């Protein structure tokens, strides 16, 4: 197993906002079924880390431990530690709700709130918490712009979120996640339900977003991982096989398994 | 294998025959329904007049009068029933859908199913023992409680089912935004199930609006206006019952009129509910 403590290029100074996640010795279970077996991984600010691996290897589970969504499923368990900017996210005093403000998530299938307008969807993080914001209008425009949706949607802010195309819905969900100003954005196969044009738009978006965020993206698409990520982690049956600079993983990985997987020999 | 010409024809013929059969069955099902409506409509329209809506029942032997107090009484009883039945029913449904795997929830669900099968007269007797006897009086309050209890199982199970239908991905979307669980349940899950729950509530109201037996034991009936919760109150079903078993022709006529009003009330409840729903959905877009 190759689990380097520090990786080349990862020591970049964190921006003021922070957003550094360190996973140490993470084990996770669904009932008695162990899904993750001792994962050690770092995710740095302003970097995109891709998580790849065969179906069912625990990529989504790993992602969902980082915003503590894993524990929302009854019967789940986990051991090990995850820190966000040095603070243990499972420490007794830590609030999962508060944590999720800092660690946003985009899901595989676009899931805008169908009973809310485009506008309310973007502002959902505030609206659902009954938080009044004076700068709603600015937040709306800023986040829709950064999700490359403003020009398309500025005249239909009152349409229901579910009336958009799949690609627009997914970007709306990204905007919704960005509105609460997270430090980390977790993306679970964000393009798997989308056409190539929408996929392309979201990849461009990732380039923009990584200027200010830590991004973790799960993908089944090797080209996508190669295109968008700085680092790539390869998981198999709940174990981390290899992690390193994306270029290295795709050209000269250290593990035989990794090479077989990224060249499409299995998986 | 590709079907031959004759096989195709047979399938087409079979398809037509089935469609015709289904259509016929629909007609057959509609016959009793429509004839009840037409008959009540005919009899009711002949008996109904403005007095019916504006006046109190006349003393025995006198012709005329109306059921104004029964109409208002029914509305009051239904409002009370909603007041007692809806919070328990809806919150119970929320509990079942959110924490539905516990032993206790299984017991609650079973009880609700049994309760929805219990004859309404039993609920009447129950409330009689529980409220009427200790309070030494039949009352509007007891009537409302009885109807409310009858509403609970329907409302509870519809709420549960409809909340379960809300995709888990919406719940996760809210949680992932840093929305606490209870807010997620109320503002996302319940809000998205709202339309269906409202329909369930309307069905429940429509079901209890015509209940007679439980009211005989609780609200009893009243020939006069009653605006106190502690006193017996008149209601359409009980009034219809009393009038139709009486030996006077004029009362029979009024019973028909009452039946028509009751049906129209249930119908307009439905329509009003649906319209409100549509308006709210249009406002959302
Ligand atoms: N809700 C659940 N209950 C029980 N087991 C689950 C649940 N969700 C996932 N699992 C199990 O956990 C393991 C890892 O699942 P996970 O969703 O993390 O895989 P994945 O790598 O994201 O797969 P995919 O690429 O198909 O999305 C699988 O074996 C799966 O069967
Ligand atoms: Mg997955």
């Amino acid at each position: 197993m190759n689990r380097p403590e520090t990786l080349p290029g990862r020591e970049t100074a964190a921006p003021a906002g922070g957003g550094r996640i360190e996973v140490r010795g993470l084990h996770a279970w669904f009932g008695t079924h162990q899904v993750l077996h001792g994962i050690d991984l770092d995710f740095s600010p302003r970097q995109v880390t891709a998580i790849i691996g065969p179906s069912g290897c625990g990529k989504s589970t790993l992602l969902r431990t980082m915003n503590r969504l894993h524990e929302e499923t009854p019967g789940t368990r986990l051991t090990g530690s995850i820190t966000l900017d040095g603070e243990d996210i499972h420490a007794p005093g830590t609030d999962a709700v508060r944590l999720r403000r800092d660690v946003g998530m985009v899901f595989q299938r676009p899931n805008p709130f169908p009973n809310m307008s485009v506008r309310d969807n973007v502002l959902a993080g505030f609206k659902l918490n009954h938080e009044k914001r004076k700068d709603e209008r600015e937040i709306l425009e800023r986040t829709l712009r950064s999700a490359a949706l403003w020009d398309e949607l500025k005249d239909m802010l009152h349409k229901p979120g579910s009336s958009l195309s799949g690609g627009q819905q997914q970007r709306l969900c990204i905007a919704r996640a960005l509105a609460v100003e997270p430090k980390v954005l977790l993306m679970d196969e964000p393009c798997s339900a989308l056409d190539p044009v929408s996929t392309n738009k979201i990849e461009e978006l990732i380039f923009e977003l990584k200027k200010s965020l830590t991004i973790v993206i799960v993908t089944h698409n090797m080209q996508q991982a190669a295109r968008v990520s700085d680092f790539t982690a390869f998981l198999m049956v709940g174990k981390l096989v290899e992690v390193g600079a994306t270029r290295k993983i795709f050209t000269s990985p250290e593990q035989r398994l990794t090479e077989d997987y990224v060249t499409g020999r299995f998986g | 294998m590709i079907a031959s010409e004759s096989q195709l024809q047979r399938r087409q013929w079979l398809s037509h025959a089935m469609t015709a059969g289904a259509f016929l069955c629909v007609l057959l099902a509609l016959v009793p329904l429509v004839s009840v409506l037409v008959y009540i409509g005919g009899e009711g329209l002949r008996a109904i007049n403005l007095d019916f809506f504006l006046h109190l029942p006349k003393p025995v032997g006198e012709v005329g009068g109306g059921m104004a107090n029964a109409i208002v009484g029914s509305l009051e009883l239904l409002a009370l029933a909603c007041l007692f039945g809806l919070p328990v029913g809806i919150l119970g449904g929320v509990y079942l859908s959110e924490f539905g795997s516990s032993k206790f929830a299984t017991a609650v669900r079973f009880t609700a199913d049994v309760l929805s099968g219990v004859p309404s007269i039993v609920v009447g007797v129950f409330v009689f023992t529980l409220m009427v006897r200790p309070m030494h009086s039949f009352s509007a309050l007891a009537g409302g409680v009885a109807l409310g209890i009858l509403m609970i199982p329907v409302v509870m199970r519809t709420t549960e089912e409809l909340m379960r239908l809300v995709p888990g991905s919406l719940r996760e979307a809210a949680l992932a935004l840093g929305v606490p669980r209870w807010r997620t349940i109320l503002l996302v899950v319940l809000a998205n199930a709202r339309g269906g729950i409202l329909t369930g509530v309307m069905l429940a109201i429509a079901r209890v609006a015509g209940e007679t037996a439980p009211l005989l034991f609780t609200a009893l009936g009243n020939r006069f206006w009653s605006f106190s919760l502690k006193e017996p109150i008149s209601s359409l079903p009980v009034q219809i019952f009393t009038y139709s078993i009486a030996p006077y022709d004029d009362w029979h006529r009024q019973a028909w009129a009452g039946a028509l009003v009751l049906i129209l009330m249930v119908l307009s409840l439905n329509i009003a509910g649906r319209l409100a729903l549509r308006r709210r959905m249009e406002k959302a877009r």
Side-chain angles (χ1 to χ4, degrees):
Chain A
M1 284 305 117
N2 179 17
R3 290 177 198 157
E5 284 296 84
T6 51
L7 291 161
R10 299 209 115 188
E11 303 85 88
T12 36
R20 179 177 184 80
I21 289 189
E22 294 176 3
V23 178
R24 290 291 175 270
L26 183 71
H27 300 256
W29 289 262
F30 282 99
T32 54
H33 174 41
Q34 185 166 5
V35 174
L36 295 178
H37 303 260
I39 305 283
D40 295 293
L41 263 179
D42 291 357
F43 303 94
S44 304
R46 295 185 196 164
Q47 306 285 358
V48 178
T49 307
I51 301 178
I52 59 171
S55 188
C57 69
K59 306 181 293 294
S60 299
T61 308
L62 173 59
L63 219 55
R64 293 161 60 91
T65 56
M66 290 192 268
N67 64 351
R68 293 183 57 180
L69 215 50
H70 179 63
E71 67 198 55
E72 294 290 337
T73 309
T76 55
R77 197 158 69 82
L78 100 188
T79 63
S81 87
I82 301 176
T83 59
L84 172 62
D85 296 326
E87 299 201 23
D88 186 353
I89 66 168
H90 292 103
T94 321
D95 183 8
V97 171
R98 177 76 219 119
L99 170 76
R100 292 179 192 138
R101 278 284 171 115
D102 289 336
V103 185
M105 187 163 193
V106 175
F107 296 81
Q108 180 169 358
R109 306 210 139 266
N111 53 1
F113 300 115
N115 59 336
M116 292 188 196
S117 63
V118 167
R119 177 195 157 87
D120 286 355
N121 259 289
V122 175
L123 300 171
F126 306 112
K127 299 244 165 189
L128 292 176
N129 275 325
H130 285 297
E131 253 171 70
K132 277 264 168 274
R133 294 285 298 235
K134 284 223 178 60
D135 51 346
E136 272 184 1
R137 181 76 206 175
E138 289 89 89
I139 296 175
L140 185 70
E141 179 164 349
R142 178 170 47 78
T143 48
L144 279 178
R145 273 192 198 285
S146 52
L149 266 180
W150 179 252
D151 293 327
E152 280 164 72
L153 294 189
K154 62 169 181 275
D155 298 320
M156 37 196 288
L157 296 174
H158 293 285
K159 288 233 173 162
S162 50
S163 68
L164 307 180
S165 76
Q168 288 175 328
Q169 285 186 21
Q170 191 64 304
R171 278 178 288 147
L172 180 64
C173 291
I174 295 176
R176 178 176 68 185
L178 294 177
V180 293
E181 296 182 31
K183 298 173 184 164
V184 181
L185 190 61
L186 309 171
M187 308 177 98
D188 194 352
E189 302 184 42
C191 303
S192 66
L194 304 183
D195 64 292
V197 175
S198 305
T199 301
N200 201 357
K201 283 193 176 156
I202 290 187
E203 287 181 9
E204 280 170 12
L205 203 56
I206 292 174
F207 276 113
E208 280 305 307
L209 296 178
K210 81 176 211 187
K211 290 177 188 160
S212 55
L213 286 170
T214 310
I215 294 182
V216 187
I217 178 171
V218 170
T219 177
H220 275 289
N221 181 333
M222 293 306 122
Q223 285 81 26
Q224 183 170 63
R227 279 192 302 264
V228 303
S229 69
D230 304 296
F231 293 90
T232 298
F234 172 49
L235 249 61
M236 233 176 90
V237 284
K239 296 197 176 83
L240 181 66
V241 177
E242 186 168 353
V243 55
T246 297
R247 201 143 52 108
K248 181 156 185 299
I249 295 284
F250 281 93
T251 53
S252 53
E254 294 187 358
Q255 301 290 322
R256 186 63 205 277
L257 270 176
T258 315
E259 187 175 345
D260 286 350
Y261 185 74
V262 298
T263 52
R265 239 164 281 169
F266 77 93
Chain B
M1 205 176 75
I2 294 168
S4 70
E5 194 75 4
S6 72
Q7 265 176 323
L8 259 180
Q9 248 169 14
R10 223 193 63 215
R11 282 185 206 165
Q12 263 171 5
W13 185 88
L14 201 67
S15 161
H16 287 313
M18 286 297 176
T19 313
F23 187 69
L24 214 72
C25 289
V26 169
L27 280 188
L28 220 61
L30 280 177
V31 165
L33 206 70
V34 171
S35 46
V36 166
L37 280 180
V38 166
Y39 194 71
I40 292 181
E43 293 283 331
L45 276 179
R46 243 189 302 149
I48 214 163
N49 52 25
L50 200 59
D51 279 2
F52 181 85
F53 292 98
L54 296 180
H55 289 284
L56 287 176
K58 281 267 173 6
V60 180
E62 282 182 45
V63 174
M67 291 193 185
N69 59 340
I71 295 171
V72 174
S74 261
L75 292 177
E76 190 181 326
L77 284 170
L78 288 178
L80 284 172
C82 288
L83 199 67
F84 301 126
L86 291 191
V88 178
I90 291 178
L91 292 179
V94 170
Y95 174 82
L96 288 185
S97 87
E98 292 301 314
F99 311 94
S101 43
S102 67
K103 274 226 171 66
F104 178 65
T106 314
V108 171
R109 203 173 288 127
F110 179 71
T111 316
D113 286 346
V114 171
L115 187 61
S116 67
V118 164
S120 55
I121 194 164
V122 175
V123 173
V125 174
F126 171 73
V127 175
F128 176 81
T129 329
L130 206 75
M131 292 184 68
V132 176
R133 283 257 290 271
M135 290 167 72
H136 300 294
S137 166
F138 293 99
S139 64
L141 202 64
V145 168
L147 295 187
I149 291 177
L150 285 169
M151 282 175 76
I152 290 174
V154 185
V155 173
M156 191 151 90
R157 292 312 298 273
T158 346
T159 305
E160 181 194 357
E161 296 300 325
L162 286 157
M163 281 185 64
R164 277 177 196 279
L165 284 183
V166 175
S169 61
L170 291 185
R171 186 188 306 249
E172 289 194 332
L175 289 175
L177 277 177
V179 179
R181 200 169 136 99
W182 67 272
R183 277 188 193 279
T184 301
I185 292 171
L186 290 184
L187 299 176
V188 175
V189 186
L190 199 58
N192 275 288
R194 190 179 56 192
I197 292 175
L198 194 67
T199 314
V201 167
M202 288 185 318
L203 285 179
I205 295 178
R207 163 156 150 44
V208 300
E211 282 294 348
T212 320
L215 292 181
L216 288 172
F217 287 89
T218 50
L220 191 65
N222 195 330
R223 291 199 35 236
F224 305 100
W225 289 108
S226 154
F227 295 104
S228 159
L229 292 183
K230 288 198 213 142
E231 277 170 22
I233 192 168
S234 180
S235 63
L236 271 177
V238 173
Q239 197 79 343
I240 293 169
F241 170 70
T242 323
Y243 271 34
S244 49
I245 58 169
Y248 314 110
D249 278 345
D250 190 50
W251 281 22
H252 292 170
R253 267 202 302 281
Q254 293 213 18
W256 282 117
L260 180 64
V261 171
L262 188 58
I263 284 187
L264 289 180
M265 223 163 88
V266 171
L267 209 67
S268 53
L269 262 172
N270 268 285
I271 293 171
R274 270 162 217 277
L275 282 183
L277 186 69
R278 191 177 311 159
R279 223 187 356 257
R280 215 168 336 147
M281 272 161 58
E282 265 159 17
K283 226 173 85 186
R285 70 191 56 189

